[in-house]
Amino acid sequence: MSASGENSLVDVRCREAARPRTLSLTRKQSLAAVATAVVIGFCFAVFQIYYDARGVEHDLERTAGKIAQVVSTTASQAAYRLDTELANAVVESLVQNENILAASIADDFGDTLAAATRQTSPDTPLIARLFIGHQPQTLSQPLLHSDVPSGSVGALYLELSPASAGQSFVNRAYVLLIGGVIKSIILSLCLLLVFDRLVTRRVLSLRKIISDKTFLSRNVTKPRFPDELDELEQVTIRSFMGLHDALDSVRLSDAALNATTCGVIITDASRDNVIVSANQAFLDISGYPAHEVIGENCRFMSAGLEDQEGLEKVRAALAGDTFCDVTIRNRRKDGSIFWNNLQITPIRDERGTVTHHVGIQSDVTERMNYQLSLQSLKDELQAIFNSTPDGIITVDETLKIRTVNPAITEMLGWHPEELIGAPLNTLTLDDFGLDHKEMKAEHTGDASAMPKRMAEYRVVKALHKDGTQIPAGVTLSRFVHSGHPVVVASIHDMTEWFDNSERLIKLTTTLSDQLRTAEAANEAKDRFLSAMSHELRTPLNAIIGFSEMLTSLTPEALPPEKRQEYLKDILQSGRDLLKMIDEVLDLTLIAQGGAELKPERASLTEILSDVLSRCRQIIEERQIDVRVIGNTNINLVIDRLATRSVLVNLLTNAIKYSGDSKVVTVICRTEQDKITLDVEDWGPGISDFVINRLGEPFLRDQDPLIASIEGVGLGLAIAKNQVERLGGQLTLTRKLEGGTIATVVINQADDPAPAPAH
Amino acid sequence: MMDLHLTCRRGARDLSRSRCLSFIFLLWLCLFAVSPDTADAQDVLVYADYPPMMMGEDAEADRLGFSVDIVREAAKRLGRNVTVQFYPFRRAIKTVQHADDAIQVSMFRNPTREPHYRWLAKTHTEEMVFLTLGTPVNSLEEGRKLESIGVENGSGLDNFLTKAGFTNLERVDRADINAAKLHAGRIDAWALAKSNAMWVWRNAGFDAPLVAGEPLATADVYVATGLGFPADVAEAYAAEIRKMVENGEIDAFIARYIETAPQ
């Protein structure tokens, strides 16, 4: 320790021990003994001089007191008589004495009767000034007289001269001083000689034994008459053998302390824990040189950083003499701050009293910064984990749930403590579990070889705590933790997505329908305009043309039969126009909900008769053979007008499109509570275009042959709408052999009694 | 009252402190229980040695000098109790100057003394003369021609002659010494108040006739107190003494001592 003390462990005591022994013990003893003797002799001489000086002062006071006593009677008489001449005589005689510098007599009225001062005053020697002082002393002697009631007639004042006794005192002082020193020196030399013979030589011999290692290994012969020094020699040899061993151990410990990178300091518990020792590592860590830390409390390293929880632990440990291990922030000499891992251990003596504290310090700044950044990252990830709206769980290789984020609780109602450690199928249905079983099988292989992304996004059914199933989108990924695979499942609640999808589909469908309706309406409008432009113009042109001819031609130029023919044409055109307008109005009325239906009891026979009657004109004009087949003797409760309208339109259409066959068949049949009426013709047959768009107004077949047949395309539309109003259904069927069947199915109401036959 | 005070001081040596305090308390009660205007009021008549006005320390109690008798008679008429106290002359006049209850029974007035005293009343006039055993010396001029003249040291006459340029003065402390020196022929003349010199000469027992010259000066003799003496009491004393002077009673007091002077 001592050899490398300045570079390693700083220890003041070791430095003391390292001082070379250059002085001989005898010489030191001689010097010390003589010096001690001189000092002691000098001190005793000074004490004697001091004591003599006190005696001189007292002698001076006693002498002056005696003198004052001698003259007091005379002085009292002078004071009593207020006799200034007598008083002057007294004081003049007093100042003749060498001990008295001045004398005065004052009366009892406070007036000075006489005063005298000696003219010459000898100088006080320096030594006398030191011990006696040079300030004159004052002595007062009261003057009494029995004839005065108060007894006092004044006072005698004497001023004593210390210099009077100075010279004799100085002479005595020199004798005492020199004599005392000489006596002390002679005595010390004698004692020194004796001490050298009896002690010094043997102690020097002992020192040789101590300093010579080889001598320690020799056997020392015991003297015949051992004394205390012989015992001391034996004990010293044994002690130093142990001490050498201990010193070797200390050197090893010192080397270990210097070799360590940890800062080590030792503080003195009895002196506010000031640092008494510090190793080089501590100096390197703190940046302070040794002389600035030895003798200082470690608080200087926490300047400006006192508000730390760790410091409270340190203070508590120091106050309670307990061990502590804390990490605190300290300040280097250059002001920079570093993290210090500090371990404080109390050192106790054999009585258990804590005498020192050992502080072991490590600069853990890098580690702390890493931990802090790691903690920050962890906090950030935890915040993400906690705040993400998707549920996240981790699953170990045994399909046990390891981690659950709060979104799972919000999504599925399970609390984390209910899920952690629970099997995965707590959260999933069987099909989801099967998937993971497959995944588990994959995990039995090499974990490091597993793909990071375990599966594609899939929609599964998650199990809510209340037992309900929730559609959830799951994405799986994995990582390896401590050599074991961990699967991360990100679960997204798809309920809203599905709800939205369904609503979107419905909305799309609705929009498509509306679009189709709008397109149909637009198309119907176009068709209406097209049809109307033709169907309206034709009768109107006929009416206008014939009317112009009738008005422009004179009766002479137009024969009566021609006139009659023209008038019939005008009438027919007007009827056609009226009929067309009625149909349009009917359709409009039906599209707007139509007139209120008025069900009434009616016979199908009557209804068919009424229909045939209404269609008689066209049947006759076209010479169509209308055949009614089946049982028409059926009573039903139905709106007669609406039923008639349906059948009139269907029959009219069948007649118009019957082509060359000239046959139209109406087939009646009942099935349970329904009545089915088929209106069948043998014409060219209706096209799919019309079948698929049945009910649309102004719809005309694209077949030129059919399109050439007169009509505005309202008959089927009116029929379909009326059938639907009656709660029935209208379908069109094109026959393979040609022709079209219009089938009306309506509910048969109560009262199945047979209708009267026609 | 003075007796009580002295008794207390002597007794205090033997009394314990508490007993002394108790005694002082009783004394305090006595002081405040008695009115200061009662007959217990004490005046101290201070006198010195200047016969026959003041007969000195060794005089008989009933012959302390006519000045003492005059003031004591005045006090008696005023109903005030008095004690007498002898002091050497310088102490006597200094004591009266500083005390509040002391009366100097006779004192000459001079500029030095004038502001320090309350002068109550003149009792009589003294004549300052040269006294010889043969040819009288009747003037200062005659006196200057003498070889030696005896005077009392520091007396008024000493100051008077010194200021007058006398260099032949021999000063002694007592008048009887000058009487003896004159009788022995060691001085040519003796300067003193006439009545005093006659009393001292006769009291010394000298048979030779003492010759008095013409008066060199006269000096009025007064009764005086210090400035602290109560003014009303002082005025009462003064009135009484003036009354005694006016009706001639003073002469009777003086005659008592002149007529009975030693032959």
Side-chain angles (χ1 to χ4, degrees):
Chain A
M1 178 184 295
S2 58
S4 57
E6 293 184 358
N7 297 324
S8 59
L9 193 63
V10 180
D11 192 324
V12 176
R13 288 169 298 180
C14 286
R15 287 181 177 178
E16 291 287 336
R19 183 177 298 170
R21 294 166 180 165
T22 57
L23 295 177
S24 141
L25 180 60
T26 305
R27 187 179 171 192
K28 287 170 63 179
Q29 279 184 334
S30 303
L31 292 174
V34 172
T36 303
V38 170
V39 170
I40 293 175
F42 179 79
C43 291
F44 271 103
V46 169
F47 176 75
Q48 283 184 301
I49 292 169
Y50 174 78
Y51 187 75
D52 188 34
R54 298 280 75 77
V56 167
E57 291 180 6
H58 294 152
D59 289 345
L60 186 61
E61 290 174 3
R62 277 195 297 271
T63 301
K66 288 178 181 177
I67 294 171
Q69 192 65 36
V70 169
V71 301
S72 66
T73 302
T74 307
S76 295
Q77 193 64 28
Y80 174 65
R81 300 172 63 86
L82 302 180
D83 189 342
T84 55
E85 291 181 358
L86 181 59
N88 278 323
V90 172
V91 296
E92 287 294 341
S93 65
L94 285 173
V95 296
Q96 298 304 315
N97 189 292
E98 63 177 0
N99 294 322
I100 299 174
L101 277 177
S104 63
I105 296 175
D107 61 19
D108 52 338
F109 301 104
D111 297 330
T112 300
L113 289 177
T117 304
R118 198 161 51 158
Q119 298 299 321
T120 58
S121 177
D123 294 334
T124 307
L126 177 61
I127 191 168
R129 289 185 184 180
L130 291 175
F131 287 91
I132 301 176
H134 60 282
Q135 294 295 331
Q137 301 176 28
T138 301
L139 177 69
S140 65
Q141 172 75 30
L143 301 177
L144 306 176
H145 199 282
S146 60
D147 290 340
V148 177
S150 64
S152 174
V153 293
L156 170 64
Y157 297 100
L158 300 178
E159 207 169 272
L160 307 179
S161 169
S164 60
Q167 193 57 48
S168 59
F169 168 76
V170 169
N171 294 337
R172 289 196 304 274
Y174 285 149
V175 171
L176 286 172
L177 192 63
I178 296 172
V181 172
I182 291 174
K183 280 190 292 184
S184 300
I185 291 174
I186 293 172
L187 181 59
S188 65
L189 290 176
C190 294
L191 290 175
L192 185 63
L193 187 62
V194 174
F195 187 77
D196 179 68
R197 291 290 179 184
L198 295 180
V199 179
T200 305
R201 294 192 176 191
R202 297 174 69 180
V203 171
L204 290 175
S205 173
L206 188 59
R207 192 185 75 175
K208 186 176 181 182
I209 292 173
I210 293 170
S211 59
D212 189 356
K213 279 188 178 179
T214 59
F215 196 89
L216 291 173
S217 60
R218 290 185 303 179
N219 291 326
V220 180
T221 56
K222 274 197 168 183
R224 187 174 182 183
F225 301 104
D227 58 8
E228 288 79 1
L229 280 176
D230 295 319
E231 287 293 328
L232 176 63
E233 183 179 289
Q234 294 297 325
V235 171
T236 304
I237 290 172
R238 286 195 297 272
S239 299
F240 270 83
M241 289 179 72
L243 190 60
H244 275 289
D245 294 339
L247 193 58
D248 290 340
S249 176
V250 169
R251 287 197 184 96
L252 287 174
S253 300
D254 187 23
L257 282 176
N258 289 326
T260 181
T261 57
C262 294
V264 179
I265 60 171
I266 301 173
T267 65
D268 189 345
S270 64
R271 293 191 296 144
D272 191 28
N273 278 304
V274 298
I275 299 172
V276 297
S277 178
N279 72 344
Q280 187 59 41
F282 173 80
L283 302 179
D284 294 340
I285 291 172
S286 65
Y288 284 92
H291 68 274
E292 291 188 13
V293 299
I294 297 298
E296 298 291 334
N297 187 284
C298 286
R299 295 188 199 96
F300 66 87
M301 296 181 67
S302 303
L305 304 170
E306 289 82 0
D307 188 15
Q308 296 186 67
E309 184 182 359
L311 285 178
E312 294 299 327
K313 294 181 180 177
V314 171
R315 294 188 190 103
L318 291 176
D321 296 331
T322 57
F323 173 80
C324 82
D325 184 352
V326 297
T327 300
I328 59 176
R329 286 178 297 147
N330 278 155
R331 195 182 295 282
R332 296 189 185 90
K333 185 181 181 183
D334 60 6
S336 60
I337 296 174
F338 68 99
W339 284 95
N340 186 2
N341 178 244
L342 175 61
Q343 294 177 335
I344 298 176
T345 304
I347 306 299
R348 301 177 186 275
D349 59 10
E350 61 275 5
R351 289 174 298 181
T353 303
V354 174
T355 60
H356 296 78
H357 287 95
V358 174
I360 301 173
Q361 311 187 28
S362 302
D363 185 352
V364 294
T365 303
E366 189 174 351
R367 189 184 79 193
M368 286 301 295
N369 289 337
Y370 176 73
Q371 285 182 351
L372 289 175
S373 62
L374 199 61
Q375 183 64 37
S376 174
L377 181 61
K378 182 181 176 183
D379 293 343
E380 186 176 350
L381 291 176
Q382 187 67 39
I384 295 172
F385 182 72
N386 291 336
S387 62
T388 181
D390 287 346
I392 297 175
I393 62 171
T394 59
V395 182
D396 63 13
E397 57 193 340
T398 63
L399 295 184
K400 294 286 182 59
I401 298 173
R402 290 166 51 97
T403 314
V404 177
N405 76 336
I408 289 292
T409 303
E410 187 176 350
M411 184 188 307
L412 300 176
W414 296 94
H415 291 286
E417 58 270 18
E418 295 172 324
L419 292 176
I420 293 175
L424 178 60
N425 57 17
T426 305
L427 282 181
T428 64
L429 295 176
D430 289 342
D431 52 349
F432 189 39
L434 284 173
D435 289 342
H436 282 276
K437 286 177 182 176
E438 294 171 358
M439 182 182 70
K440 179 184 177 184
E442 292 180 6
H443 294 169
T444 56
D446 183 7
S448 62
M450 291 163 54
K452 287 185 178 179
R453 188 171 180 86
M454 300 302 299
E456 295 298 329
Y457 182 84
R458 68 185 69 181
V459 178
V460 300
K461 290 183 178 178
L463 189 60
H464 195 278
K465 187 178 179 181
D466 61 7
T468 59
Q469 296 177 12
I470 295 175
V474 177
T475 304
L476 302 179
S477 59
R478 66 89 188 157
F479 62 91
V480 178
H481 180 66
S482 301
H484 298 281
V486 177
V487 176
V488 181
S490 175
I491 304 171
H492 182 73
D493 187 355
M494 301 291 288
T495 304
E496 187 177 358
W497 185 88
F498 274 103
D499 292 343
N500 290 336
S501 297
E502 190 173 346
R503 281 197 295 270
L504 188 61
I505 291 171
K506 289 181 178 177
L507 181 62
T508 304
T509 305
T510 303
L511 290 175
S512 298
D513 292 344
Q514 291 177 351
L515 180 61
R516 240 186 338 265
T517 304
E519 288 175 351
N522 192 42
E523 189 177 347
K525 181 195 69 176
D526 294 341
R527 288 197 305 272
F528 170 76
L529 293 176
S530 174
M532 292 304 287
S533 62
H534 177 263
E535 297 301 330
L536 286 177
R537 284 177 181 275
T538 301
L540 285 175
N541 286 335
I543 291 171
I544 292 169
F546 287 119
S547 298
E548 286 176 350
M549 288 177 68
L550 288 175
T551 56
S552 61
L553 294 177
T554 60
E556 293 81 12
L558 185 63
E561 60 275 14
K562 273 293 182 181
R563 179 181 296 270
Q564 189 64 34
E565 184 181 354
Y566 288 168
L567 290 173
K568 285 182 179 179
D569 288 339
I570 289 171
L571 180 60
Q572 186 57 42
S573 295
R575 286 176 176 169
D576 291 342
L577 190 58
L578 178 62
K579 181 177 179 293
M580 186 175 58
I581 291 171
D582 287 339
E583 287 180 347
V584 171
L585 291 177
D586 286 345
L587 182 61
T588 303
L589 184 63
I590 292 169
Q592 291 176 350
E596 186 180 0
L597 294 177
K598 295 178 180 177
E600 57 183 340
R601 180 172 296 175
S603 166
L604 182 59
T605 303
E606 292 174 354
I607 294 172
L608 287 175
S609 296
D610 190 13
V611 170
L612 291 173
S613 174
R614 296 257 172 194
C615 296
R616 184 176 305 277
Q617 182 180 356
I618 190 173
I619 292 172
E620 291 175 353
E621 287 176 355
R622 303 283 179 99
Q623 296 177 350
I624 299 299
D625 181 13
V626 178
R627 300 173 187 174
V628 177
I629 301 172
N631 181 18
T632 61
N633 190 17
I634 299 172
N635 289 330
L636 45 86
V637 178
I638 199 167
D639 188 291
R640 186 186 300 267
L641 295 179
T643 306
R644 188 184 64 191
S645 172
V646 171
L647 294 177
V648 167
N649 279 290
L650 291 179
L651 185 59
T652 302
N653 270 351
I655 292 169
K656 284 196 296 185
Y657 297 105
S658 60
D660 297 332
S661 65
K662 304 295 184 180
V663 175
V664 171
T665 305
V666 177
I667 303 172
C668 301
R669 64 178 185 271
T670 59
E671 293 178 1
Q672 296 181 352
D673 56 346
K674 294 184 182 298
I675 298 172
T676 303
L677 297 172
D678 292 334
V679 180
E680 184 178 3
D681 66 73
W682 299 91
I686 196 167
S687 68
D688 291 338
F689 174 75
V690 177
I691 293 173
N692 293 334
R693 302 178 65 175
L694 176 63
E696 296 182 15
F698 308 106
L699 188 68
R700 299 301 303 276
D701 204 316
Q702 302 299 312
D703 188 345
L705 182 62
I706 298 174
S708 62
I709 300 173
E710 59 180 1
V712 295
L714 289 175
L716 284 177
I718 292 171
K720 185 174 187 295
N721 285 327
Q722 291 287 35
V723 168
E724 290 177 353
R725 289 184 67 204
L726 293 171
Q729 191 174 7
L730 171 63
T731 57
L732 296 177
T733 306
R734 188 177 58 195
K735 297 187 294 185
L736 289 176
E737 61 274 25
T740 302
I741 299 175
T743 303
V744 175
V745 179
I746 57 176
N747 292 325
Q748 181 183 6
D750 56 355
D751 195 6
H758 288 277
Chain B
M1 186 176 291
M2 182 61 73
D3 290 339
L4 277 175
H5 179 63
L6 293 174
T7 304
C8 173
R9 293 189 63 187
R10 283 196 298 271
R13 299 191 187 105
D14 303 327
L15 294 173
S16 65
R17 189 170 185 175
S18 60
R19 293 178 65 188
C20 186
L21 291 173
S22 301
F23 185 80
I24 292 171
F25 176 71
L26 290 173
L27 177 61
W28 178 83
L29 287 177
C30 292
L31 286 172
F32 283 87
V34 179
S35 169
D37 295 330
T38 64
D40 289 335
Q42 291 282 331
D43 299 324
V44 180
L45 306 185
V46 176
Y47 69 103
D49 186 8
Y50 201 91
M53 290 188 288
M54 299 172 287
M55 298 302 289
E57 187 175 9
D58 299 329
E60 297 174 0
D62 58 343
R63 288 183 61 83
L64 296 179
F66 62 81
S67 294
V68 177
D69 292 344
I70 290 168
V71 179
R72 193 150 54 180
E73 178 61 22
K76 181 180 177 183
R77 295 180 183 180
L78 291 174
R80 298 183 67 83
N81 288 337
V82 297
T83 59
V84 293
Q85 175 67 47
F86 170 80
Y87 285 123
F89 184 73
R90 292 178 184 170
R91 172 164 290 277
I93 61 175
K94 199 163 187 176
T95 299
V96 170
Q97 179 184 344
H98 290 89
D100 296 336
D101 57 350
I103 302 173
Q104 178 67 37
V105 296
S106 64
M107 187 161 61
F108 297 122
R109 300 181 73 160
N110 61 33
T112 304
R113 296 170 184 168
E114 188 68 24
H116 300 301
Y117 297 91
R118 184 191 305 276
W119 305 94
L120 303 187
K122 188 181 82 172
T123 56
H124 65 289
T125 300
E126 285 286 336
E127 295 177 346
M128 302 299 165
V129 296
F130 286 127
L131 299 154
T132 60
L133 293 178
T135 305
V137 179
N138 295 320
S139 66
L140 293 174
E141 292 302 323
E142 292 176 4
R144 286 194 184 92
K145 296 174 182 175
L146 298 176
E147 186 173 346
S148 59
I149 300 172
V151 295
E152 282 185 66
N153 187 22
S155 64
L157 199 54
D158 182 10
N159 296 331
F160 174 76
L161 295 175
T162 300
K163 288 182 180 177
F166 281 74
T167 57
N168 52 354
L169 300 177
E170 287 191 11
R171 297 176 177 86
V172 296
D173 289 336
R174 298 199 311 268
D176 57 339
I177 296 175
N178 277 334
K181 289 174 73 176
L182 180 64
H183 185 266
R186 292 172 55 183
I187 55 176
D188 297 329
W190 176 23
L192 195 60
K194 182 179 178 181
S195 62
N196 187 15
M198 292 301 180
W199 179 271
V200 172
W201 186 260
R202 291 175 184 172
N203 193 48
F206 298 131
D207 294 333
L210 188 62
V211 177
E214 291 296 323
L216 304 174
T218 59
D220 294 335
V221 179
Y222 277 77
V223 177
T225 65
L227 298 179
F229 193 85
D232 53 342
V233 180
E235 182 57 33
Y237 271 107
E240 197 62 37
I241 292 170
R242 280 195 296 270
K243 190 186 300 179
M244 293 168 69
V245 171
E246 291 170 359
N247 59 23
E249 292 179 90
I250 291 292
D251 297 336
F253 285 102
I254 295 173
R256 180 174 173 236
Y257 285 83
I258 297 300
E259 292 173 358
T260 59
Q263 298 298 315

